[in-house]
């Protein structure tokens, strides 16, 4: 078993041991993911990026990953596969020759 699958199993086990699956419908997991993303953003609010507490950034980022992986688990999605699919799509939208060094959205490249 690879390390990523082991991690997904650990996350599922954590939920199972606490009987929290009953609360983990995809809608509430998506809401929780958004809240955790906001907690991550709050660490940067009114600060320069380098002033954020990296220890807290790690914690909030881990919360974001946790909820994202729980949603993926709900739908039995292969996380590395769907991320790679999306990267391939992004590579088509943002060809290097047009996108290199510019932050323009793909429909305006
Ligand atoms: Mg949090």
């Amino acid at each position: 078993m690879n390390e990523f699958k082991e991690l997904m199993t650990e996350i599922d086990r954590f939920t199972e041991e606490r009987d929290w699956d009953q609360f983990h419908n995809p809608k509430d997991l998506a809401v929780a993911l958004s809240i955790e993303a906001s907690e991550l953003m709050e660490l940067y609010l009114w600060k320069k990026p380098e002033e954020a507490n990296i220890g807290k950034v790690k914690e909030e980022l881990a919360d974001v990953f946790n909820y994202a992986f729980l949603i993926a688990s709900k739908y039995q999605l292969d996380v590395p596969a769907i991320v790679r699919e999306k990267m391939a799509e992004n590579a088509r939208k943002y060809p290097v020759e047009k996108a290199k060094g510019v932050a323009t959205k793909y429909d305006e490249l």
Side-chain angles (χ1 to χ4, degrees):
M1 192 187 284
N2 70 34
E3 194 175 357
F4 189 79
K5 280 187 177 164
E6 282 176 30
L7 175 63
M8 293 293 280
T9 302
E10 284 174 44
I11 291 170
D12 286 340
R13 189 182 315 121
F14 183 92
T15 299
E16 217 175 282
E17 287 170 349
R18 286 156 185 80
D19 194 23
W20 284 353
D21 194 57
Q22 59 183 312
F23 308 117
H24 287 182
N25 65 73
K27 184 267 295 177
D28 286 319
L29 290 172
V31 170
L33 171 63
S34 179
I35 291 167
E36 295 301 343
S38 295
E39 289 177 0
L40 176 63
M41 288 192 294
E42 190 177 23
L43 299 175
Y44 295 99
L45 184 64
W46 315 125
K47 296 174 187 160
K48 294 176 184 161
E50 61 274 17
E51 292 172 343
N53 179 319
I54 187 66
K56 290 182 179 172
V57 167
K58 285 194 310 194
E59 283 181 28
E60 299 306 339
L61 196 53
D63 286 340
V64 168
F65 285 136
N66 246 318
Y67 281 116
F69 295 156
L70 281 166
I71 295 168
S73 178
K74 274 281 159 200
Y75 294 112
Q76 296 169 335
L77 301 174
D78 179 337
V79 173
I82 64 172
V83 171
R84 287 191 181 107
E85 281 170 30
K86 186 64 180 178
M87 284 174 61
E89 188 184 324
N90 288 342
R92 281 190 295 277
K93 285 180 180 172
Y94 296 96
V96 173
E97 60 277 10
K98 286 186 180 174
K100 190 170 186 172
V102 294
T104 310
K105 195 173 175 188
Y106 67 92
D107 58 355
E108 293 177 6
L109 279 175

